[in-house]
Amino acid sequence: MDEPLVRWDWIARNWDNGSPLAIRTLLENHVVMAFAPVLFGLLLALPIGLACARWRLLYQPATAVMNIVYAMPSLALFSILLSVTGLTQTTVIIPLTLFSLAVLIPAVVDGMTSVPDHVRQSAVAMGFRPLRRLLQVELPIATPVVLAGVRVATVASISLVSVGALIGQGGLGALFTDGWQRQFYTPIIVGIALIVLLAVGADLVLIALQRLLTPWSRARRSA
Amino acid sequence: MITFDGVTKRYADGTVAVDNLSLEAASGTITVFVGPSGCGKTTSLRMINRMIDATAGRILLDGQDVKAIEPATLRRGIGYVIQQAGLFPHRRIVDNIATVPYLLGWDRKKARARAMELLERVGLDPKLARRYPFQLSGGQQQRVGVARALAADPPVLLMDEPFSAVDPVVRASLQEELLRLQSELHKTIVFVTHDIDEAVKLGDTVAVFRVGGHLAQISDPATLLSEPADDFVRGFLGRDRGIRRLSFIPAADVPLSPPPPELVLAEGKPVGWKLDGGLRPYGSFNPATDSLRAALDASLLSANGLAVAVDGDGGVLGVLGRDALDAAVSGVARG
Ligand SMILES: Nc1ncnc2c1ncn2[C@@H]1O[C@H](COP(=O)(O)OP(=O)(O)OP(=O)(O)O)[C@@H](O)[C@H]1O
Ligand SMILES: [Mg+2]
């Protein structure tokens, strides 16, 4: 009798069985390790990106550094970090934060560049001082471009977390190693399905957020 | 009053955009800066609200040196309108107009009420208040730009080619609107344009600049047209100076004759000339509001050269013959 491709009974038994490899636990770890880097990345990318937009000379060197980090194999980054942070989630979150910076810094710079010069000039002429101009005029207008970067970084981060399985911190990635070792496909299929669902779900949430935050830009595109 | 006192602007690269400029823009009037591209109009304008700081000389606002006023505070008291309107794309029209009131700390309700009042004042439908700028036509955006500049009721208004990006019909209506607003508000307006016709139409005073930031001539429009200071100004004014000058002479004093029997009327209003057995076209003008230029135009449009004078309701007052017109026009030429 053929083994079915997906053994639903295995999923039911392993969904929430209290073990560290329970699917639900892995899913939760995955979510944490995927979103933390985007959040930290955004917090870092905002000041760095604003500085690069303000002092253009910084931008070239900053992107060069970011691209080198991006090109570095995650495995190499893990092994460097292992000696400092050990087999923890932090060891996965740090490299992923660096990866997301490589997307988010250019997004912030492009966002600031997308503010039309005549709009910036008229803000100055109305009597905005620099900080208020940044918070009330420039950042809101940059938001659609920055959010587009956040979507890319989020989806990339969700899929990259599984690499952490190499050091036992891969979230749903653990299902892949488990499945390959036992030549048992159900965990692998479950892992892929959940990661894809997570990515699509997160993207939909971000699209909704974008429509909510920037009604003026959605309307502009459809006009 | 805005006073330029020996103002020079030299940019970092050595370009002298404005060279030792001295002039006065009287309170409650429209002063137009006009001149070819690159002659320093925008630079001069922006030195008033300190978006550019002068290299030498002083600019006084009612006697006070603008350099003594903190820039943001200074700017909140000076309305500013530019060519692309510069509206904030992420704010609804009502909030765009309320920008300066918000900056000045007015409460939201009062600022919005003021914005709604201005929206109507510049001739826009209050329904547009909830829209975003991209949902408006170029002409409507430009009106919003004017409303925004007026929101905190600043005594001074700076306008940098505000109407040059819209089509001629819309431009003409925006110009009329500005003149109407000015007759109610009496702001001190400095208006920049490269279009001499716009300058002559809007300006109480016209300052003609030549490249290098030199003032070539400053005078009222009628004098500018009749007595250009030099060849540069004459060339810049272009053709038809004589006819354009007639726009500044009211037609109120022209002698009218009673309408001849050939003028066909319907309920007291002209319909045409009965000539050669047919109905031929006529031209009309209103002596109370029109200029000699309109009277001449009416004469040229009439099949028999008689300009028909009408009152505000279109009722016939009389006709103006070529001889009488000629006398009026030659009177202007003699000065
Ligand atoms: N930031 C700057 N640095 C160097 N030169 C400048 C700068 N801004 C303007 N200029 C130069 O100063 C001169 C006057 O410029 P300005 O913008 O005042 O001209 P303008 O009369 O407004 O022209 P236009 O009708 O084309 O708008 C030009 O030669 C211009 O190239
Ligand atoms: Mg200019």
Side-chain angles (χ1 to χ4, degrees), chain A residues 116 118-119 121-129 132 136-137 140-141 215-216 219-220 223, chain B residues 46 51 70 72-73 75-76 80 82 84 86-91 99 102-103 132 134 148:
Chain A
H118 62 96
V119 171
Q121 296 275 347
S122 74
V124 173
M126 297 292 123
F128 279 85
R129 297 199 179 89
R132 190 157 180 180
Q136 295 190 349
V137 179
I141 296 176
W216 51 274
R220 177 165 55 182
Chain B
R46 289 185 168 192
M51 290 175 73
E70 191 261 334
T73 312
R75 291 170 193 149
R76 289 172 193 180
Y80 190 80
I82 52 173
Q84 305 96 326
L87 300 182
F88 299 145
H90 61 299
R91 289 193 173 172
T99 299
Y102 289 153
L103 286 174
Y132 288 102
F134 76 92
R148 182 173 67 169

Side-chain angles (χ1 to χ4, degrees), chain A:
Chain A
M1 193 183 95
D2 279 341
E3 177 84 358
L5 196 59
V6 176
R7 293 244 318 259
W8 297 98
D9 59 317
W10 182 88
I11 299 177
R13 265 184 289 112
N14 288 276
W15 174 249
D16 197 5
N17 61 3
S19 103
L21 287 179
I23 301 171
R24 202 183 131 172
T25 313
L26 294 177
L27 180 63
E28 284 166 4
N29 291 344
H30 200 105
V31 168
V32 169
M33 286 187 287
F35 287 105
V38 180
L39 191 68
F40 295 145
L42 194 58
L43 290 178
L44 287 170
L46 274 172
I48 298 175
L50 290 177
C52 289
R54 173 75 179 74
W55 297 285
R56 277 281 159 174
L57 282 177
L58 287 180
Y59 191 35
Q60 280 298 331
T63 38
V65 172
M66 280 305 130
N67 284 337
I68 292 169
V69 173
Y70 206 60
M72 214 183 275
S74 8
L75 198 53
L77 277 175
F78 286 158
S79 21
I80 296 169
L81 281 169
L82 267 180
S83 57
V84 188
T85 48
L87 292 170
T88 61
Q89 293 193 344
T90 314
T91 309
V92 178
I93 290 174
I94 290 177
L96 290 192
T97 301
L98 293 176
F99 288 164
S100 74
L101 276 181
V103 176
L104 293 176
I105 290 176
V108 172
V109 175
D110 291 348
M112 290 301 281
T113 314
S114 77
V115 180
D117 199 45
H118 62 96
V119 171
R120 192 175 275 123
Q121 296 275 347
S122 74
V124 173
M126 297 292 123
F128 279 85
R129 297 199 179 89
L131 181 65
R132 190 157 180 180
R133 191 177 84 215
L134 178 70
L135 295 178
Q136 295 190 349
V137 179
E138 292 171 327
L139 281 179
I141 296 176
T143 301
V145 179
V146 175
L147 276 182
V150 170
R151 284 174 58 192
V152 174
T154 304
V155 171
S157 190
I158 288 170
S159 95
L160 279 171
V161 164
S162 21
V163 181
L166 292 165
I167 59 158
Q169 287 290 0
L172 295 166
L175 296 174
F176 301 150
T177 27
D178 180 42
W180 288 122
Q181 273 160 13
R182 296 194 280 147
Q183 290 294 299
F184 173 45
Y185 294 113
T186 303
I188 298 176
I189 291 166
V190 169
I192 293 175
L194 285 179
I195 289 174
V196 169
L197 279 179
L198 199 57
V200 171
D203 206 36
L204 288 177
V205 168
L206 284 170
I207 290 174
L209 188 70
Q210 186 163 355
R211 295 196 170 185
L212 202 71
L213 286 181
T214 64
W216 51 274
S217 93
R218 175 167 64 113
R220 177 165 55 182
R221 255 178 281 119
S222 66

Side-chain angles (χ1 to χ4, degrees), chain B residues 51 63 67 87 95 105 110 135 145 160 162 182 192 201 215:
Chain B
M51 290 175 73
K67 281 202 178 149
L87 300 182
D95 293 318
K110 185 177 161 210
Q135 294 167 310
D160 194 348
Q182 172 67 352
V192 163
K201 177 170 178 187
L215 187 60

